[in-house]
Amino acid sequence: MLTVRDIKALPFEVPLKQSLKWGRSDELRALEHVLIRVELSDGSIGIAEATPRPSIYGETQASIVAIVESHLAPLLEGAALDSFQCVADISARMDLIKNNNTAKGAADMALHQALCRATGTTLAGHLGAARERIRLSYIVSTGEADAVLADVEGAYRFGLRVFKVKIGKDIAAETETIRELVKRFPGAQFYVDANQTLDEDGAPGILNALYDLGLIYCEEALPVERIRARRALRGESRMPIVADDSAFTPQDLGRELAFDTFDILNIKTARTGFSQSMTMKEISAQAGKGLMVGSQASSLLGCLHAAAFAAQTAVNCASECSFFLKTDADLSLAPTIKDGWLSLTEAESALEGLINASI
């Protein structure tokens, strides 16, 4: 039987073309990530990207390296694996270590990837993906109107047609920018991510006004801890609500479903790997919720892993697997984007190329 021979955490950095700003003061200027590399007993290699976000998960590049070397590696090395469920069981054991979301998520994805290479299975087949095309969305930083308009225009020319616009610093100015976006790009769809910055009294009016402009949904309008207010907002707002920060884990998701706080779940494989993401997908689909996949500001590697998961038929919203376009990196292996869609075949070929380049 296959066993885990080795697991390593290798820090790397990818520059961004321009910084990403969200919330009231958060800013990402470069991707300071960690490559998680798993080797199996037959020599098969799997890699995945851990995306530390100190202001979201409390993780840093250094903390991910430390938790992998000191705790995850001793836990994983020697573990046997032969199926998706076997990897899921190993990931459940990783939850003995609390938090460290993206370190564990990346380890899980690297294990699944290594198993696929050992068994000659495609990642899409392993995940049960059934669609050849994945509809993409593009994340737009909050900022001055000219910069926002230029960012959308560049992505639109590249083929993107769905855009997530960050809001929360100056709602009045951001609303005017959005109004101009809707006017300039009539063939595009827009939604907003408030990153928990709105207040409960003003949120219904803001969301309804944006809905009247044609926006399709809003992600995390209110602070996560205001769960009753978030439930009330869903009833008062005509705009569908996306759950992200409020549903980090399957346990969080259970709470949100019990309070019925959202309409669409944003699954981020970067923080829940493939194992827990599959559980969350199944629970949400059974509850009749919409599904999208986010990439947590990933480089090409993380975006391709997210895209493979997003090719499942239950994912019925555009997914945020295009962040690699914001990186100032060699994208010669990147798949093409046509009219806002990504080919799963091309994505898997690109992923294979990245793995081969890392060996």
Side-chain angles (χ1 to χ4, degrees):
M1 174 165 302
L2 291 166
T3 59
V4 179
R5 177 188 294 168
D6 186 46
I7 176 170
K8 288 186 171 60
L10 308 168
F12 69 97
E13 183 171 332
V14 178
L16 294 177
K17 295 174 183 174
Q18 59 187 34
S19 64
L20 176 71
K21 299 177 182 178
W22 72 94
R24 292 194 173 93
S25 60
D26 290 295
E27 183 174 5
L28 184 66
R29 297 179 180 177
L31 305 184
E32 297 177 343
H33 291 175
V34 181
L35 184 73
I36 305 300
R37 183 182 187 276
V38 168
E39 183 177 353
L40 304 185
S41 52
D42 70 340
S44 297
I45 301 295
I47 60 173
E49 176 180 16
T51 58
R53 296 289 174 267
S55 65
I56 301 175
Y57 308 116
E59 292 174 292
T60 67
Q61 201 176 46
S63 79
I64 288 175
V65 171
I67 202 71
V68 169
E69 292 180 348
S70 300
H71 295 277
L72 292 183
L75 185 67
L76 297 179
E77 288 171 1
L81 70 162
D82 62 1
S83 64
F84 186 102
Q85 186 56 52
C86 192
V87 179
D89 291 342
I90 293 171
S91 291
R93 294 203 295 274
M94 283 196 282
D95 270 348
L96 294 171
I97 300 166
K98 301 303 179 186
N99 304 318
N100 294 282
N101 303 68
T102 72
K104 294 186 294 186
D108 175 90
M109 288 190 288
L111 286 168
H112 280 289
Q113 187 74 73
L115 177 61
C116 287
R117 288 176 66 83
T119 57
T121 307
T122 66
L123 183 59
H126 181 68
L127 297 174
R131 294 187 312 191
E132 168 54 25
R133 297 199 309 160
I134 303 113
R135 194 177 186 208
L136 301 183
S137 61
Y138 179 86
I139 299 172
V140 184
S141 173
T142 187
E144 297 298 324
D146 288 347
V148 172
L149 290 165
D151 193 16
V152 172
E153 183 174 2
Y156 190 89
R157 285 200 306 266
F158 206 87
L160 277 298
R161 294 294 181 267
V162 183
F163 300 88
K164 177 165 86 170
V165 183
K166 298 284 189 176
I167 63 171
K169 287 190 175 181
D170 184 340
I171 295 299
E174 290 159 349
T175 299
E176 288 307 307
T177 300
I178 289 169
R179 190 187 306 275
E180 184 63 24
L181 286 172
V182 172
K183 179 181 176 181
R184 286 198 193 184
F185 304 98
Q189 290 183 306
F190 296 92
Y191 61 107
V192 292
D193 182 1
N195 286 112
Q196 309 180 56
T197 58
L198 305 187
D199 65 76
E200 11 186 310
D201 293 333
I206 292 169
L207 267 57
N208 285 330
L210 291 171
Y211 185 76
D212 289 339
L213 287 178
L215 273 68
I216 54 176
Y217 25 81
C218 175
E219 187 171 300
E220 298 296 12
L222 301 178
V224 168
E225 66 271 14
R226 306 294 294 168
I227 188 166
R228 289 179 175 81
R230 291 191 290 107
R231 177 173 60 183
L233 175 62
R234 181 167 179 256
E236 295 171 31
S237 169
R238 286 176 284 125
M239 182 180 287
I241 303 295
V242 178
D244 176 11
D245 300 334
S246 56
F248 281 176
T249 67
Q251 292 75 24
D252 294 336
L253 176 59
R255 179 197 63 227
E256 297 303 309
L257 288 171
F259 278 85
D260 204 14
T261 59
F262 71 97
D263 302 282
I264 300 163
L265 176 65
N266 188 344
I267 294 176
K268 290 188 173 174
T269 52
R271 69 174 170 231
T272 42
F274 292 136
S275 297
Q276 289 192 0
S277 294
M278 191 70 76
T279 298
M280 296 173 77
K281 180 213 73 171
E282 291 168 356
I283 293 172
S284 294
Q286 289 170 5
K289 302 298 184 180
L291 290 166
M292 66 169 65
V293 177
S295 70
Q296 198 65 72
S298 301
S299 71
L300 179 59
L301 174 60
C303 287
L304 293 173
H305 275 143
F309 192 86
Q312 297 177 85
T313 54
V315 179
N316 53 7
C317 299
S319 292
E320 301 161 0
C321 311
S322 65
F323 196 87
F324 65 90
L325 296 175
K326 289 182 173 289
T327 63
D328 189 11
D330 178 6
L331 298 178
S332 58
L333 291 174
T336 57
I337 297 170
K338 185 176 180 180
D339 296 328
W341 295 83
L342 188 70
S343 160
L344 176 61
T345 300
E346 288 191 23
E348 288 220 297
S349 175
L351 185 56
E352 190 72 10
L354 288 178
I355 297 171
N356 289 335
S358 73
I359 295 176

